Short mmCIF file of all heavy atoms in Angstrom, two decimals:
data_model
loop_
_atom_site.label_atom_id
_atom_site.label_comp_id
_atom_site.label_asym_id
_atom_site.label_seq_id
_atom_site.Cartn_x
_atom_site.Cartn_y
_atom_site.Cartn_z
N MET A 1 -8.51 -6.36 -19.50
CA MET A 1 -9.54 -7.20 -20.08
C MET A 1 -10.82 -6.38 -20.19
O MET A 1 -11.23 -5.72 -19.26
CB MET A 1 -9.76 -8.42 -19.19
CG MET A 1 -10.68 -9.42 -19.80
SD MET A 1 -10.51 -10.93 -18.86
CE MET A 1 -12.19 -11.39 -18.76
N THR A 2 -11.43 -6.41 -21.36
CA THR A 2 -12.65 -5.65 -21.56
C THR A 2 -13.87 -6.53 -21.35
O THR A 2 -13.81 -7.75 -21.53
CB THR A 2 -12.70 -5.08 -22.99
OG1 THR A 2 -12.70 -6.17 -23.90
CG2 THR A 2 -11.51 -4.17 -23.25
N ASP A 3 -14.97 -5.92 -20.97
CA ASP A 3 -16.22 -6.67 -20.79
C ASP A 3 -16.99 -6.67 -22.10
O ASP A 3 -17.73 -5.75 -22.41
CB ASP A 3 -17.06 -6.02 -19.69
CG ASP A 3 -16.42 -6.21 -18.33
OD1 ASP A 3 -15.74 -7.23 -18.15
OD2 ASP A 3 -16.59 -5.33 -17.47
N ARG A 4 -16.74 -7.69 -22.89
CA ARG A 4 -17.45 -7.83 -24.16
C ARG A 4 -18.62 -8.77 -23.98
O ARG A 4 -18.53 -9.73 -23.21
CB ARG A 4 -16.52 -8.37 -25.23
CG ARG A 4 -15.49 -7.33 -25.66
CD ARG A 4 -14.67 -7.85 -26.79
NE ARG A 4 -13.71 -8.81 -26.24
CZ ARG A 4 -12.98 -9.63 -26.95
NH1 ARG A 4 -13.10 -9.67 -28.23
NH2 ARG A 4 -12.14 -10.45 -26.40
N PRO A 5 -19.70 -8.56 -24.69
CA PRO A 5 -20.84 -9.48 -24.58
C PRO A 5 -20.49 -10.83 -25.19
O PRO A 5 -19.65 -10.93 -26.08
CB PRO A 5 -21.94 -8.79 -25.36
CG PRO A 5 -21.25 -7.84 -26.26
CD PRO A 5 -19.98 -7.44 -25.57
N ASP A 6 -21.12 -11.86 -24.71
CA ASP A 6 -20.91 -13.21 -25.22
C ASP A 6 -21.46 -13.30 -26.64
O ASP A 6 -22.63 -12.99 -26.87
CB ASP A 6 -21.62 -14.22 -24.32
CG ASP A 6 -21.30 -15.65 -24.67
OD1 ASP A 6 -20.51 -15.86 -25.61
OD2 ASP A 6 -21.83 -16.55 -24.00
N PRO A 7 -20.65 -13.69 -27.63
CA PRO A 7 -21.13 -13.73 -29.01
C PRO A 7 -22.16 -14.81 -29.26
O PRO A 7 -22.89 -14.76 -30.24
CB PRO A 7 -19.87 -13.99 -29.82
CG PRO A 7 -18.93 -14.63 -28.88
CD PRO A 7 -19.26 -14.07 -27.53
N LEU A 8 -22.25 -15.81 -28.36
CA LEU A 8 -23.22 -16.88 -28.56
C LEU A 8 -24.60 -16.56 -28.01
O LEU A 8 -25.56 -17.24 -28.30
CB LEU A 8 -22.72 -18.18 -27.92
CG LEU A 8 -21.44 -18.75 -28.52
CD1 LEU A 8 -21.06 -20.01 -27.78
CD2 LEU A 8 -21.62 -19.02 -29.99
N VAL A 9 -24.69 -15.52 -27.22
CA VAL A 9 -25.97 -15.16 -26.62
C VAL A 9 -26.40 -13.80 -27.14
O VAL A 9 -25.67 -12.83 -27.04
CB VAL A 9 -25.87 -15.13 -25.08
CG1 VAL A 9 -27.19 -14.73 -24.46
CG2 VAL A 9 -25.41 -16.46 -24.56
N SER A 10 -27.59 -13.76 -27.70
CA SER A 10 -28.10 -12.51 -28.24
C SER A 10 -28.73 -11.69 -27.11
O SER A 10 -29.35 -12.23 -26.21
CB SER A 10 -29.15 -12.81 -29.31
OG SER A 10 -29.70 -11.62 -29.79
N ASN A 11 -28.57 -10.38 -27.19
CA ASN A 11 -29.11 -9.51 -26.16
C ASN A 11 -30.47 -8.93 -26.51
O ASN A 11 -31.06 -8.21 -25.72
CB ASN A 11 -28.14 -8.35 -25.88
CG ASN A 11 -26.89 -8.84 -25.19
OD1 ASN A 11 -26.91 -9.85 -24.52
ND2 ASN A 11 -25.80 -8.13 -25.38
N ASP A 12 -30.96 -9.22 -27.72
CA ASP A 12 -32.26 -8.67 -28.08
C ASP A 12 -33.37 -9.45 -27.39
O ASP A 12 -33.23 -10.58 -27.00
CB ASP A 12 -32.47 -8.65 -29.60
CG ASP A 12 -32.40 -10.04 -30.20
OD1 ASP A 12 -32.24 -11.01 -29.43
OD2 ASP A 12 -32.50 -10.15 -31.43
N SER A 13 -34.50 -8.81 -27.20
CA SER A 13 -35.60 -9.45 -26.47
C SER A 13 -36.68 -9.89 -27.45
O SER A 13 -37.72 -9.25 -27.59
CB SER A 13 -36.17 -8.47 -25.44
OG SER A 13 -36.60 -7.30 -26.11
N THR A 14 -36.43 -10.99 -28.14
CA THR A 14 -37.41 -11.57 -29.04
C THR A 14 -38.03 -12.79 -28.39
O THR A 14 -37.63 -13.20 -27.31
CB THR A 14 -36.76 -11.96 -30.39
OG1 THR A 14 -35.75 -12.92 -30.13
CG2 THR A 14 -36.17 -10.75 -31.08
N ASP A 15 -38.98 -13.39 -29.09
CA ASP A 15 -39.68 -14.55 -28.55
C ASP A 15 -38.88 -15.84 -28.67
O ASP A 15 -39.24 -16.84 -28.09
CB ASP A 15 -41.00 -14.77 -29.30
CG ASP A 15 -41.88 -13.53 -29.31
OD1 ASP A 15 -41.43 -12.49 -28.84
OD2 ASP A 15 -43.01 -13.65 -29.78
N GLN A 16 -37.79 -15.81 -29.42
CA GLN A 16 -37.04 -17.03 -29.68
C GLN A 16 -36.32 -17.50 -28.42
O GLN A 16 -35.82 -16.69 -27.65
CB GLN A 16 -36.01 -16.81 -30.77
CG GLN A 16 -36.61 -16.53 -32.11
CD GLN A 16 -35.53 -16.30 -33.15
OE1 GLN A 16 -34.40 -16.01 -32.82
NE2 GLN A 16 -35.90 -16.44 -34.41
N PRO A 17 -36.27 -18.82 -28.23
CA PRO A 17 -35.51 -19.35 -27.09
C PRO A 17 -34.02 -19.04 -27.26
O PRO A 17 -33.54 -18.79 -28.36
CB PRO A 17 -35.74 -20.85 -27.16
CG PRO A 17 -36.75 -21.09 -28.21
CD PRO A 17 -36.95 -19.83 -28.97
N THR A 18 -33.29 -19.10 -26.17
CA THR A 18 -31.87 -18.78 -26.19
C THR A 18 -31.10 -19.73 -27.09
O THR A 18 -30.16 -19.32 -27.76
CB THR A 18 -31.29 -18.85 -24.75
OG1 THR A 18 -32.09 -18.02 -23.92
CG2 THR A 18 -29.86 -18.39 -24.72
N ALA A 19 -31.49 -21.01 -27.13
CA ALA A 19 -30.78 -21.98 -27.97
C ALA A 19 -30.87 -21.60 -29.44
O ALA A 19 -29.91 -21.73 -30.19
CB ALA A 19 -31.34 -23.37 -27.76
N VAL A 20 -32.02 -21.10 -29.88
CA VAL A 20 -32.18 -20.71 -31.28
C VAL A 20 -31.33 -19.48 -31.58
O VAL A 20 -30.69 -19.39 -32.61
CB VAL A 20 -33.66 -20.44 -31.60
CG1 VAL A 20 -33.82 -19.86 -33.00
CG2 VAL A 20 -34.47 -21.70 -31.45
N LYS A 21 -31.30 -18.53 -30.66
CA LYS A 21 -30.47 -17.34 -30.84
C LYS A 21 -29.00 -17.72 -30.91
O LYS A 21 -28.26 -17.23 -31.75
CB LYS A 21 -30.67 -16.37 -29.68
CG LYS A 21 -32.03 -15.73 -29.63
CD LYS A 21 -32.08 -14.84 -28.41
CE LYS A 21 -33.50 -14.53 -28.03
NZ LYS A 21 -33.56 -13.79 -26.76
N ALA A 22 -28.56 -18.62 -30.03
CA ALA A 22 -27.16 -19.02 -29.99
C ALA A 22 -26.78 -19.77 -31.26
O ALA A 22 -25.71 -19.59 -31.79
CB ALA A 22 -26.89 -19.89 -28.77
N ARG A 23 -27.68 -20.61 -31.76
CA ARG A 23 -27.37 -21.37 -32.96
C ARG A 23 -27.21 -20.44 -34.16
O ARG A 23 -26.35 -20.63 -34.99
CB ARG A 23 -28.48 -22.38 -33.23
CG ARG A 23 -28.11 -23.38 -34.26
CD ARG A 23 -29.13 -24.46 -34.42
NE ARG A 23 -30.05 -24.52 -33.31
CZ ARG A 23 -31.32 -24.89 -33.41
NH1 ARG A 23 -31.82 -25.24 -34.54
NH2 ARG A 23 -32.10 -24.92 -32.35
N GLY A 24 -28.04 -19.42 -34.26
CA GLY A 24 -27.92 -18.48 -35.36
C GLY A 24 -26.62 -17.71 -35.33
O GLY A 24 -25.99 -17.47 -36.35
N SER A 25 -26.18 -17.32 -34.16
CA SER A 25 -24.95 -16.55 -34.06
C SER A 25 -23.72 -17.46 -34.06
O SER A 25 -22.62 -16.98 -34.25
CB SER A 25 -24.96 -15.69 -32.80
OG SER A 25 -24.99 -16.51 -31.66
N MET A 26 -23.92 -18.75 -33.88
CA MET A 26 -22.80 -19.67 -33.87
C MET A 26 -22.14 -19.76 -35.25
O MET A 26 -20.95 -19.97 -35.36
CB MET A 26 -23.26 -21.06 -33.43
CG MET A 26 -22.19 -21.93 -32.89
SD MET A 26 -22.79 -23.34 -31.96
CE MET A 26 -23.70 -24.24 -33.17
N PHE A 27 -22.91 -19.58 -36.30
CA PHE A 27 -22.39 -19.66 -37.65
C PHE A 27 -22.22 -18.28 -38.28
O PHE A 27 -22.07 -18.17 -39.48
CB PHE A 27 -23.29 -20.53 -38.52
CG PHE A 27 -23.36 -21.95 -38.04
CD1 PHE A 27 -24.50 -22.43 -37.44
CD2 PHE A 27 -22.27 -22.78 -38.17
CE1 PHE A 27 -24.55 -23.74 -36.99
CE2 PHE A 27 -22.31 -24.09 -37.73
CZ PHE A 27 -23.46 -24.57 -37.13
N ALA A 28 -22.21 -17.25 -37.48
CA ALA A 28 -22.04 -15.90 -37.99
C ALA A 28 -20.66 -15.71 -38.62
O ALA A 28 -20.50 -14.92 -39.54
CB ALA A 28 -22.24 -14.88 -36.88
N TRP A 29 -19.67 -16.47 -38.17
CA TRP A 29 -18.32 -16.37 -38.72
C TRP A 29 -18.29 -16.75 -40.18
O TRP A 29 -17.44 -16.27 -40.92
CB TRP A 29 -17.35 -17.25 -37.94
CG TRP A 29 -17.69 -18.70 -38.00
CD1 TRP A 29 -18.47 -19.39 -37.12
CD2 TRP A 29 -17.31 -19.64 -39.01
NE1 TRP A 29 -18.59 -20.70 -37.51
CE2 TRP A 29 -17.89 -20.88 -38.68
CE3 TRP A 29 -16.55 -19.55 -40.17
CZ2 TRP A 29 -17.73 -22.02 -39.45
CZ3 TRP A 29 -16.38 -20.70 -40.94
CH2 TRP A 29 -16.97 -21.90 -40.58
N SER A 30 -19.20 -17.63 -40.62
CA SER A 30 -19.14 -18.11 -42.00
C SER A 30 -19.44 -17.01 -43.01
O SER A 30 -19.04 -17.12 -44.17
CB SER A 30 -20.10 -19.28 -42.20
OG SER A 30 -21.42 -18.86 -42.02
N SER A 31 -20.12 -15.95 -42.59
CA SER A 31 -20.38 -14.85 -43.52
C SER A 31 -19.14 -13.98 -43.72
O SER A 31 -19.08 -13.21 -44.67
CB SER A 31 -21.55 -14.00 -43.02
OG SER A 31 -21.21 -13.38 -41.80
N GLU A 32 -18.15 -14.10 -42.84
CA GLU A 32 -16.93 -13.31 -42.95
C GLU A 32 -15.86 -13.99 -43.80
O GLU A 32 -14.85 -13.39 -44.13
CB GLU A 32 -16.36 -13.04 -41.56
CG GLU A 32 -17.31 -12.25 -40.67
CD GLU A 32 -16.79 -12.14 -39.25
OE1 GLU A 32 -15.66 -12.58 -38.99
OE2 GLU A 32 -17.54 -11.63 -38.41
N VAL A 33 -16.10 -15.25 -44.17
CA VAL A 33 -15.12 -16.01 -44.94
C VAL A 33 -15.31 -15.67 -46.43
O VAL A 33 -16.43 -15.69 -46.93
CB VAL A 33 -15.29 -17.52 -44.71
CG1 VAL A 33 -14.29 -18.31 -45.52
CG2 VAL A 33 -15.14 -17.85 -43.23
N THR A 34 -14.22 -15.36 -47.09
CA THR A 34 -14.30 -14.98 -48.50
C THR A 34 -14.45 -16.20 -49.39
O THR A 34 -14.21 -17.34 -48.96
CB THR A 34 -13.05 -14.20 -48.94
OG1 THR A 34 -11.92 -15.08 -48.86
CG2 THR A 34 -12.83 -12.97 -48.08
N ARG A 35 -14.82 -15.98 -50.64
CA ARG A 35 -14.98 -17.07 -51.60
C ARG A 35 -13.64 -17.79 -51.82
O ARG A 35 -13.59 -19.01 -51.93
CB ARG A 35 -15.50 -16.49 -52.91
CG ARG A 35 -15.82 -17.50 -53.95
CD ARG A 35 -16.39 -16.80 -55.19
NE ARG A 35 -16.60 -17.73 -56.25
CZ ARG A 35 -17.78 -18.24 -56.58
NH1 ARG A 35 -18.84 -17.87 -55.92
NH2 ARG A 35 -17.89 -19.09 -57.58
N TYR A 36 -12.56 -17.04 -51.87
CA TYR A 36 -11.23 -17.63 -52.03
C TYR A 36 -10.89 -18.55 -50.86
O TYR A 36 -10.34 -19.65 -51.04
CB TYR A 36 -10.18 -16.53 -52.17
CG TYR A 36 -8.77 -17.05 -52.28
CD1 TYR A 36 -8.32 -17.64 -53.46
CD2 TYR A 36 -7.90 -16.97 -51.20
CE1 TYR A 36 -7.03 -18.14 -53.55
CE2 TYR A 36 -6.61 -17.47 -51.29
CZ TYR A 36 -6.18 -18.05 -52.47
OH TYR A 36 -4.91 -18.55 -52.56
N GLN A 37 -11.21 -18.13 -49.64
CA GLN A 37 -10.93 -18.95 -48.46
C GLN A 37 -11.75 -20.24 -48.48
O GLN A 37 -11.25 -21.30 -48.10
CB GLN A 37 -11.20 -18.16 -47.20
CG GLN A 37 -10.20 -17.04 -46.98
CD GLN A 37 -10.61 -16.09 -45.88
OE1 GLN A 37 -11.80 -15.90 -45.61
NE2 GLN A 37 -9.62 -15.47 -45.25
N TRP A 38 -13.00 -20.17 -48.93
CA TRP A 38 -13.81 -21.38 -49.06
C TRP A 38 -13.19 -22.32 -50.09
O TRP A 38 -13.17 -23.54 -49.90
CB TRP A 38 -15.25 -21.05 -49.46
CG TRP A 38 -16.10 -20.57 -48.33
CD1 TRP A 38 -16.67 -19.34 -48.21
CD2 TRP A 38 -16.49 -21.29 -47.15
NE1 TRP A 38 -17.38 -19.26 -47.03
CE2 TRP A 38 -17.29 -20.45 -46.37
CE3 TRP A 38 -16.23 -22.58 -46.69
CZ2 TRP A 38 -17.83 -20.84 -45.16
CZ3 TRP A 38 -16.78 -22.97 -45.47
CH2 TRP A 38 -17.57 -22.11 -44.72
N MET A 39 -12.67 -21.75 -51.18
CA MET A 39 -12.05 -22.57 -52.22
C MET A 39 -10.80 -23.26 -51.69
O MET A 39 -10.57 -24.44 -51.96
CB MET A 39 -11.71 -21.71 -53.44
CG MET A 39 -11.14 -22.50 -54.60
SD MET A 39 -12.26 -23.74 -55.26
CE MET A 39 -13.47 -22.69 -56.03
N VAL A 40 -9.99 -22.54 -50.93
CA VAL A 40 -8.78 -23.14 -50.34
C VAL A 40 -9.17 -24.26 -49.38
O VAL A 40 -8.56 -25.33 -49.37
CB VAL A 40 -7.93 -22.06 -49.63
CG1 VAL A 40 -6.83 -22.69 -48.79
CG2 VAL A 40 -7.35 -21.09 -50.64
N LEU A 41 -10.21 -24.04 -48.59
CA LEU A 41 -10.68 -25.08 -47.67
C LEU A 41 -11.15 -26.31 -48.43
O LEU A 41 -10.83 -27.44 -48.07
CB LEU A 41 -11.82 -24.53 -46.79
CG LEU A 41 -12.43 -25.52 -45.81
CD1 LEU A 41 -11.41 -25.93 -44.77
CD2 LEU A 41 -13.66 -24.93 -45.17
N LEU A 42 -11.88 -26.10 -49.52
CA LEU A 42 -12.37 -27.21 -50.34
C LEU A 42 -11.21 -27.99 -50.95
O LEU A 42 -11.20 -29.23 -50.91
CB LEU A 42 -13.29 -26.70 -51.44
CG LEU A 42 -13.77 -27.74 -52.44
CD1 LEU A 42 -14.70 -28.74 -51.76
CD2 LEU A 42 -14.44 -27.08 -53.62
N VAL A 43 -10.22 -27.30 -51.48
CA VAL A 43 -9.07 -27.97 -52.10
C VAL A 43 -8.28 -28.76 -51.05
O VAL A 43 -7.87 -29.90 -51.29
CB VAL A 43 -8.18 -26.95 -52.83
CG1 VAL A 43 -6.86 -27.55 -53.25
CG2 VAL A 43 -8.92 -26.38 -54.04
N ALA A 44 -8.09 -28.18 -49.88
CA ALA A 44 -7.38 -28.88 -48.81
C ALA A 44 -8.16 -30.11 -48.35
O ALA A 44 -7.58 -31.18 -48.13
CB ALA A 44 -7.14 -27.94 -47.63
N TRP A 45 -9.48 -29.98 -48.25
CA TRP A 45 -10.31 -31.11 -47.84
C TRP A 45 -10.26 -32.22 -48.89
O TRP A 45 -10.14 -33.39 -48.55
CB TRP A 45 -11.75 -30.64 -47.62
CG TRP A 45 -12.66 -31.76 -47.20
CD1 TRP A 45 -12.77 -32.30 -45.95
CD2 TRP A 45 -13.57 -32.47 -48.04
NE1 TRP A 45 -13.69 -33.32 -45.97
CE2 TRP A 45 -14.21 -33.43 -47.24
CE3 TRP A 45 -13.91 -32.37 -49.38
CZ2 TRP A 45 -15.15 -34.30 -47.76
CZ3 TRP A 45 -14.86 -33.24 -49.88
CH2 TRP A 45 -15.47 -34.19 -49.07
N LEU A 46 -10.33 -31.85 -50.16
CA LEU A 46 -10.26 -32.85 -51.23
C LEU A 46 -8.89 -33.56 -51.21
O LEU A 46 -8.82 -34.77 -51.44
CB LEU A 46 -10.50 -32.21 -52.59
CG LEU A 46 -11.96 -31.89 -52.91
CD1 LEU A 46 -12.05 -31.10 -54.21
CD2 LEU A 46 -12.79 -33.14 -52.98
N GLY A 47 -7.82 -32.82 -50.96
CA GLY A 47 -6.50 -33.43 -50.85
C GLY A 47 -6.45 -34.44 -49.73
O GLY A 47 -5.92 -35.54 -49.88
N TRP A 48 -7.05 -34.11 -48.60
CA TRP A 48 -7.09 -35.04 -47.47
C TRP A 48 -7.93 -36.27 -47.81
O TRP A 48 -7.54 -37.40 -47.49
CB TRP A 48 -7.66 -34.32 -46.24
CG TRP A 48 -7.85 -35.22 -45.08
CD1 TRP A 48 -6.88 -35.69 -44.23
CD2 TRP A 48 -9.08 -35.80 -44.65
NE1 TRP A 48 -7.46 -36.52 -43.29
CE2 TRP A 48 -8.80 -36.61 -43.52
CE3 TRP A 48 -10.40 -35.71 -45.10
CZ2 TRP A 48 -9.78 -37.31 -42.86
CZ3 TRP A 48 -11.37 -36.42 -44.44
CH2 TRP A 48 -11.06 -37.20 -43.33
N VAL A 49 -9.07 -36.06 -48.47
CA VAL A 49 -9.94 -37.18 -48.84
C VAL A 49 -9.22 -38.13 -49.78
O VAL A 49 -9.24 -39.35 -49.59
CB VAL A 49 -11.26 -36.67 -49.47
CG1 VAL A 49 -12.01 -37.78 -50.19
CG2 VAL A 49 -12.14 -36.04 -48.42
N PHE A 50 -8.57 -37.60 -50.82
CA PHE A 50 -7.89 -38.47 -51.77
C PHE A 50 -6.67 -39.16 -51.15
O PHE A 50 -6.35 -40.29 -51.49
CB PHE A 50 -7.50 -37.70 -53.03
CG PHE A 50 -8.68 -37.39 -53.90
CD1 PHE A 50 -8.97 -36.09 -54.26
CD2 PHE A 50 -9.52 -38.40 -54.35
CE1 PHE A 50 -10.06 -35.80 -55.06
CE2 PHE A 50 -10.61 -38.14 -55.14
CZ PHE A 50 -10.89 -36.83 -55.50
N ASP A 51 -6.01 -38.50 -50.22
CA ASP A 51 -4.89 -39.13 -49.53
C ASP A 51 -5.39 -40.28 -48.66
O ASP A 51 -4.79 -41.35 -48.62
CB ASP A 51 -4.14 -38.11 -48.68
CG ASP A 51 -2.91 -38.69 -48.02
OD1 ASP A 51 -2.16 -39.41 -48.71
OD2 ASP A 51 -2.70 -38.43 -46.83
N SER A 52 -6.51 -40.08 -47.99
CA SER A 52 -7.10 -41.14 -47.17
C SER A 52 -7.57 -42.30 -48.04
O SER A 52 -7.38 -43.47 -47.68
CB SER A 52 -8.28 -40.60 -46.36
OG SER A 52 -7.85 -39.60 -45.49
N MET A 53 -8.17 -41.99 -49.17
CA MET A 53 -8.63 -43.02 -50.09
C MET A 53 -7.43 -43.82 -50.60
O MET A 53 -7.48 -45.05 -50.71
CB MET A 53 -9.39 -42.40 -51.26
CG MET A 53 -9.95 -43.41 -52.22
SD MET A 53 -10.82 -42.66 -53.58
CE MET A 53 -9.50 -41.84 -54.44
N ASP A 54 -6.36 -43.13 -50.92
CA ASP A 54 -5.13 -43.76 -51.39
C ASP A 54 -4.62 -44.76 -50.36
O ASP A 54 -4.31 -45.91 -50.68
CB ASP A 54 -4.12 -42.65 -51.66
CG ASP A 54 -2.76 -43.13 -52.07
OD1 ASP A 54 -2.57 -44.33 -52.23
OD2 ASP A 54 -1.88 -42.27 -52.25
N GLY A 55 -4.53 -44.34 -49.12
CA GLY A 55 -4.07 -45.24 -48.06
C GLY A 55 -4.99 -46.42 -47.85
O GLY A 55 -4.53 -47.55 -47.60
N THR A 56 -6.28 -46.20 -47.95
CA THR A 56 -7.25 -47.28 -47.78
C THR A 56 -7.13 -48.30 -48.91
O THR A 56 -7.16 -49.51 -48.67
CB THR A 56 -8.68 -46.72 -47.72
OG1 THR A 56 -8.76 -45.76 -46.66
CG2 THR A 56 -9.70 -47.82 -47.48
N LEU A 57 -6.99 -47.81 -50.13
CA LEU A 57 -6.85 -48.73 -51.26
C LEU A 57 -5.57 -49.55 -51.16
O LEU A 57 -5.57 -50.75 -51.46
CB LEU A 57 -6.87 -47.96 -52.58
CG LEU A 57 -8.23 -47.39 -52.97
CD1 LEU A 57 -8.09 -46.54 -54.23
CD2 LEU A 57 -9.25 -48.48 -53.17
N PHE A 58 -4.49 -48.94 -50.72
CA PHE A 58 -3.24 -49.68 -50.55
C PHE A 58 -3.40 -50.78 -49.51
O PHE A 58 -2.92 -51.90 -49.69
CB PHE A 58 -2.09 -48.76 -50.15
CG PHE A 58 -1.52 -47.98 -51.29
CD1 PHE A 58 -1.11 -46.67 -51.10
CD2 PHE A 58 -1.37 -48.54 -52.55
CE1 PHE A 58 -0.57 -45.94 -52.15
CE2 PHE A 58 -0.83 -47.82 -53.59
CZ PHE A 58 -0.44 -46.51 -53.39
N SER A 59 -4.10 -50.48 -48.41
CA SER A 59 -4.27 -51.51 -47.38
C SER A 59 -5.19 -52.63 -47.86
O SER A 59 -5.04 -53.78 -47.44
CB SER A 59 -4.79 -50.89 -46.09
OG SER A 59 -6.10 -50.41 -46.27
N LEU A 60 -6.15 -52.33 -48.72
CA LEU A 60 -7.03 -53.37 -49.26
C LEU A 60 -6.30 -54.28 -50.25
O LEU A 60 -6.58 -55.46 -50.35
CB LEU A 60 -8.24 -52.74 -49.96
CG LEU A 60 -9.29 -52.09 -49.06
CD1 LEU A 60 -10.34 -51.37 -49.90
CD2 LEU A 60 -9.95 -53.13 -48.18
N VAL A 61 -5.36 -53.73 -50.99
CA VAL A 61 -4.67 -54.48 -52.04
C VAL A 61 -3.41 -55.16 -51.51
O VAL A 61 -2.89 -56.08 -52.13
CB VAL A 61 -4.34 -53.51 -53.20
CG1 VAL A 61 -3.51 -54.19 -54.27
CG2 VAL A 61 -5.62 -52.94 -53.79
N GLN A 62 -2.94 -54.75 -50.35
CA GLN A 62 -1.66 -55.24 -49.85
C GLN A 62 -1.64 -56.75 -49.68
O GLN A 62 -0.74 -57.43 -50.18
CB GLN A 62 -1.33 -54.58 -48.51
CG GLN A 62 -0.01 -55.03 -47.95
CD GLN A 62 0.28 -54.38 -46.62
OE1 GLN A 62 -0.59 -53.73 -46.03
NE2 GLN A 62 1.48 -54.57 -46.12
N LYS A 63 -2.60 -57.33 -49.00
CA LYS A 63 -2.58 -58.77 -48.73
C LYS A 63 -2.68 -59.58 -50.02
O LYS A 63 -1.87 -60.50 -50.21
CB LYS A 63 -3.67 -59.13 -47.75
CG LYS A 63 -3.65 -60.59 -47.36
CD LYS A 63 -4.52 -60.89 -46.21
CE LYS A 63 -4.59 -62.38 -45.99
NZ LYS A 63 -3.83 -62.84 -44.88
N PRO A 64 -3.65 -59.30 -50.91
CA PRO A 64 -3.68 -60.09 -52.15
C PRO A 64 -2.40 -59.95 -52.99
O PRO A 64 -1.94 -60.93 -53.59
CB PRO A 64 -4.88 -59.55 -52.91
CG PRO A 64 -5.74 -58.90 -51.89
CD PRO A 64 -4.81 -58.42 -50.82
N SER A 65 -1.82 -58.78 -53.02
CA SER A 65 -0.61 -58.60 -53.82
C SER A 65 0.60 -59.28 -53.19
O SER A 65 1.48 -59.76 -53.89
CB SER A 65 -0.32 -57.11 -54.05
OG SER A 65 -0.02 -56.49 -52.84
N MET A 66 0.66 -59.37 -51.89
CA MET A 66 1.76 -60.03 -51.21
C MET A 66 1.68 -61.57 -51.39
O MET A 66 2.71 -62.21 -51.50
CB MET A 66 1.77 -59.70 -49.72
CG MET A 66 2.08 -58.23 -49.42
SD MET A 66 3.69 -57.73 -49.96
CE MET A 66 4.71 -58.44 -48.71
N THR A 67 0.48 -62.10 -51.43
CA THR A 67 0.33 -63.54 -51.61
C THR A 67 0.62 -63.96 -53.05
O THR A 67 1.00 -65.10 -53.29
CB THR A 67 -1.07 -64.03 -51.20
OG1 THR A 67 -2.05 -63.32 -51.95
CG2 THR A 67 -1.29 -63.80 -49.72
N GLU A 68 0.41 -63.07 -53.99
CA GLU A 68 0.73 -63.36 -55.39
C GLU A 68 2.20 -63.32 -55.55
O GLU A 68 2.95 -63.84 -56.13
CB GLU A 68 0.09 -62.31 -56.31
CG GLU A 68 -1.13 -62.80 -56.98
CD GLU A 68 -1.66 -61.77 -57.97
OE1 GLU A 68 -0.91 -61.26 -58.81
OE2 GLU A 68 -2.84 -61.47 -57.85
#
């Protein structure tokens, strides 16, 4: 096991509080994601949203359609 520095804590000595330093480095991974990967994430998220909407609409229409 190697002794690597904590990626959430910055080692530089600036005036910023530790929480601000940690928050900035917390989203550092997003700069490594390619445009294609963002597009795949968006398409997968939209698929999930429309599937959820589909299920919700079916449950809203089920009772009125069953009584008819």
Side-chain angles (χ1 to χ4, degrees):
M1 187 166 138
T2 62
D3 291 329
R4 288 185 284 168
D6 188 1
L8 297 179
V9 179
S10 177
N11 290 334
D12 60 3
S13 58
T14 61
D15 305 6
Q16 294 179 340
T18 306
V20 173
K21 292 178 198 173
R23 192 174 343 148
S25 64
M26 202 163 63
F27 297 108
W29 62 268
S30 64
S31 64
E32 298 173 7
V33 179
T34 65
R35 185 178 175 102
Y36 177 75
Q37 290 169 332
W38 282 116
M39 183 62 70
V40 169
L41 178 66
L42 175 68
V43 169
W45 180 78
L46 283 173
W48 175 78
V49 165
F50 287 124
D51 185 44
S52 298
M53 183 181 67
D54 176 3
T56 303
L57 289 174
F58 282 142
S59 67
L60 288 174
V61 175
Q62 180 181 10
K63 183 168 173 105
S65 65
M66 293 298 283
T67 57
E68 257 185 50

